[in-house]
Amino acid sequence: MGTLEGKAALVTGGSRGIGAAIVKRLARDGADVAFTYASRADAAAAVTAEVEALGRRCLAIRADSADADAVAGAVGQAVRAFGRLDVLVNNAGIFPYGPPEEVTVEEIDRTLAIHVRSAFVAAQAALAHMGQGGRIVSIGSCLAHRVPYPGVALYAASKAALVGLTKGLARDLGPRGITVNLVDPGSTDTDMNPADGEAADGERAFSALGRYGEPDDVAAMVAHLAGEGGRTVTGAAVAVDGGFCA
Ligand code: NDP
């Protein structure tokens, strides 16, 4: 029996990359899983089929994380589908890149909305349904802690905000038996950051292991925190970064 048997989870940005790996891992561990996506209905359908093949219920929800109402609505849809919510994973993300002079106010607002506001709003909406043993995990970045190259000030700032959100919520929700943690990936082979992309060799040089991680490496840590093994971990920022921050 999986450690998440009988539980229900919601993962934002679950159609591709790290989010898709998390959806599938939580399902393999026994959970029914809802996930959001932005536009790639084809990718969402493929993930749904894989989860259902495992014998778990799955719900794909098109919901832009830049839209606070859509995020809260996705939480409501997941609860209506499964009758409960035990695990929330805030994963949806984008990678704004470029010199600071070229960053527009719209980009700043959109990035903060997707990475920070949506994580806050999803947690608020989830709280109405989460009891003892509830789990909130956000996906941050090693760039929240070390910024070894230029062009990522906005991205790093938005991910650093999740450190404060995680610690603050951990204090708020500890008395209710709900843990709140952050998982900070390093270079991970996805569409956002392909291991054969232009910047890949430079990124590899910053990691102690000298290689990219796989989405499953991040998913394994999320599954640990979401399961019984994570019951005493809260307010933590756990690196899965190959030693990028070492
Ligand atoms: P991908 O670009 O490969 O996948 C992004 C996923 O998020 C897709 O499912 C996409 O949906 C969804 N998504 C994007 N924007 C939105 C939005 N506005 N609303 C809802 N869903 C959205 O990214 P990764 O898997 O690489 O990244 C996942 C998380 O991990 C992000 O938070 C990222 O910042 C973080 N991270 C990634 C690292 C890496 O090296 N890959 C390193 C450190 C952190 P759709 O398929 O519909 O487009």
Side-chain angles (χ1 to χ4, degrees), residues 13 15-16 18 38-40 63-65 91 140 155 159 186 188 190 193:
S15 46
R16 289 182 293 119
I18 291 169
S39 61
R40 288 282 302 274
D64 183 352
S65 286
N91 163 81
Y155 181 81
K159 292 297 189 175
T188 306
T190 66
N193 187 6

Side-chain angles (χ1 to χ4, degrees), residues 67-90:
D67 177 345
D69 290 340
V71 171
V75 173
Q77 283 189 58
V79 171
R80 279 195 296 282
F82 302 142
R84 58 188 295 149
L85 185 63
D86 305 280
V87 180
L88 167 68
V89 183
N90 296 305

Side-chain angles (χ1 to χ4, degrees), residues 10-11 13 25 27 32 36 45 63 99-100 116 121 131 133 135 160 167 175-176 201 205-206 224 227 229 236 238 242:
L10 171 65
V11 180
R25 174 61 195 259
D32 293 323
T36 67
V116 187
V121 167
R135 301 281 197 263
K167 289 174 187 285
R176 292 157 69 166
D201 283 340
F206 290 118
H224 174 70
V238 185

Side-chain angles (χ1 to χ4, degrees), residues 160-189:
L162 291 174
V163 178
L165 179 62
T166 299
K167 289 174 187 285
L169 286 178
R171 288 285 176 189
D172 291 329
L173 304 181
R176 292 157 69 166
I178 297 170
T179 68
V180 189
N181 290 292
L182 187 61
V183 172
D184 290 321
S187 307
T188 306
D189 186 18

Side-chain angles (χ1 to χ4, degrees), residues 3-98:
T3 57
L4 297 177
E5 199 83 32
K7 306 233 163 158
L10 171 65
V11 180
T12 65
S15 46
R16 289 182 293 119
I18 291 169
I22 294 168
V23 169
K24 290 183 261 182
R25 174 61 195 259
L26 297 180
R28 282 202 300 279
D29 285 0
D32 293 323
V33 189
F35 68 90
T36 67
Y37 65 99
S39 61
R40 288 282 302 274
D42 56 334
V47 171
T48 303
E50 283 193 59
V51 170
E52 288 176 348
L54 294 166
R56 303 293 162 206
R57 290 184 288 174
C58 189
L59 178 68
I61 305 163
R62 185 171 184 156
D64 183 352
S65 286
D67 177 345
D69 290 340
V71 171
V75 173
Q77 283 189 58
V79 171
R80 279 195 296 282
F82 302 142
R84 58 188 295 149
L85 185 63
D86 305 280
V87 180
L88 167 68
V89 183
N90 296 305
N91 163 81
I94 56 173
F95 189 67
Y97 178 83

